[in-house]
Structures are given as C-alpha cells and as structure tokens.
Amino acid sequence: MDFKWERKILPMRTIHRGDIIVFKYPGRPEVPFIKRVIAKGGDVVEVINNHVFVNGRMLVEGYARLPDYIKTTYIKPPKLPPKADIPVLPDYLRDPGAFVVQTMPGRTDVTLKSMYENGDPSREKFGPYIIPKGHLFVMGDNRLNSEDSRFWGALDENLVLGRAWLIWWSFRDHEQGFRPVSPGNELKRLWNKAIHFYSRTRWRRILTRPH
C-alpha cells in the first residue's frame, strides 16, 4: 500500500523526537491514532523495566504516566551489542510475517513475534531494535496501557497525518484498532461510542493542548 502520493500533496515539516503526532494506524489505515515520537530512523531503542533507552541513553520523560515506584527506580544504561548484531524493527505493512495475528470474536490482535519469546507479551522489556530508515518508533504516554510500536512495530513516516495541536474529544475505547472492517463492525463501533459517550469520555482532556 503506497501512501507517498499523500505526502506530496500535503507536505509536512520534519518530525522531531518528542512530537505528538496523528497517524494512520498500521493494519487499518482508516483509523487515526495519536502517539508520541520516541525515536527515528537509525536510532536504537530498548525498554528495560518500563524505562526507555534511545541509543544507549535513558530518556527523562516527565510526560510519561508511570507509577512512582517505576519513575524513581534507577536502571543502569545497557551495553549495546555491535549495531550489525541489532535487529531492525519490522514494519507490519511490509513484513506481516514478523507478527503474530490472533483472531478472536470481534477483533484481531497483531503483535511482534519477539514479544512472545519470553512468555506473554509485556510492555516492560523491549528490544534492542534499530528503527528502519523512513520510520518512527512511537509510544503512548500512558505507558502501562498503550498499544504502540512495542506491539505493531515501526511506523512508516508516510502514514503520519500531522502534529497534534488540540484535543477536541477524548474517548476511552476498549476495542482494538485491528478489528476487521465491515459495515456491521462500523455500526457496532458507533453504537458503542453512543451508549458510552458520557461514561468513557475523558472530560478533563477536551479542548486541551497535548504536551
């Protein structure tokens, strides 16, 4: 699937680490998602006990929503292997064979096969991986509850729609983004939002600037 023509029509300034971006969710491009850019092409990313290291240096992330016992824990910077020995983080659209696809009633989960090497998928440990050229590594600020690049891999920069400027509505959706597209499923999603509009709307986030 080629999205490069969209970038030619709608050019965008250079994406920087730390930017909050809106993008087309890999595997289901019609669904817009919002995450923070942690690393770019050529960077080495590793997560140890929920602490993020980019090129061997731990990020100081005041924006990340983590329990104090995690934030106050010191993690020694990892000794990275030679770059030639570090695998490249797969892109789901280009290398679907690198992912485990689980179909369940009402949804489909897509997860990197490497997440299963040491048991159940976990957000606490990840990598190290090299981010491929022309791609981004993105994470949600709510680190313990975020389906992000740790699961579905590198994000092609051509899927980026732009930077997030204002949160006009925030909804806590329990459904997965890889749910198969069909008229029936779309009606179910709309009905779910309608009946849970008040209970799942994050009212404090409405009309606020992401930071």
Side-chain angles (χ1 to χ4, degrees), residues 150-184:
R150 290 170 289 181
F151 288 83
W152 41 259
L155 174 69
D156 191 320
E157 290 187 1
N158 291 304
L159 295 180
V160 178
L161 299 172
R163 286 185 300 156
W165 185 76
L166 183 72
I167 300 173
W168 68 275
W169 184 46
S170 179
F171 183 79
R172 188 175 66 257
D173 195 342
H174 291 171
E175 297 177 356
Q176 299 295 316
F178 287 99
R179 186 171 180 169
V181 180
S182 70

Side-chain angles (χ1 to χ4, degrees), residues 43-167:
D43 288 336
V44 177
V45 174
E46 186 170 7
V47 179
I48 303 175
N49 293 340
N50 292 300
H51 292 273
V52 182
F53 293 82
V54 176
N55 300 323
R57 295 185 177 183
M58 187 173 73
L59 298 184
V60 179
E61 302 181 288
Y63 46 77
R65 287 163 31 190
L66 289 166
D68 288 340
Y69 75 87
I70 294 178
K71 285 188 174 183
T72 57
T73 301
Y74 172 76
I75 301 295
K76 184 179 179 180
K79 183 178 180 181
L80 294 175
K83 208 161 187 178
D85 296 335
I86 301 176
V88 175
L89 182 62
D91 173 345
Y92 173 69
L93 294 180
R94 299 186 183 185
D95 188 15
F99 297 80
V100 174
V101 179
Q102 292 182 303
T103 302
M104 293 168 281
R107 77 171 197 244
T108 301
D109 286 338
V110 178
T111 308
L112 278 164
K113 288 182 177 179
S114 61
M115 297 287 280
Y116 287 89
E117 290 178 355
N118 298 316
D120 293 333
S122 171
R123 297 174 175 85
E124 297 179 3
K125 188 180 187 314
F126 179 86
Y129 277 108
I130 296 175
I131 310 306
K133 183 179 179 180
H135 287 70
L136 305 169
F137 183 87
V138 298
M139 300 179 74
D141 289 350
N142 187 10
R143 290 296 161 76
L144 301 186
N145 187 27
S146 175
E147 296 281 337
D148 48 39
S149 286
R150 290 170 289 181
F151 288 83
W152 41 259
L155 174 69
D156 191 320
E157 290 187 1
N158 291 304
L159 295 180
V160 178
L161 299 172
R163 286 185 300 156
W165 185 76
L166 183 72
I167 300 173

Side-chain angles (χ1 to χ4, degrees), residues 188-201:
K188 288 179 182 178
R189 288 174 64 89
L190 291 173
W191 176 247
N192 176 66
K193 288 179 171 57
I195 63 177
H196 296 293
F197 177 82
Y198 287 103
S199 61
R200 294 186 185 174
T201 292

Side-chain angles (χ1 to χ4, degrees), residues 16 18-22 34-37 141 162-165 210-211:
H16 300 292
D19 284 350
I20 299 176
I21 59 171
V22 179
I34 180 170
K35 301 289 180 185
R36 188 181 298 272
V37 177
D141 289 350
R163 286 185 300 156
W165 185 76
H211 57 278

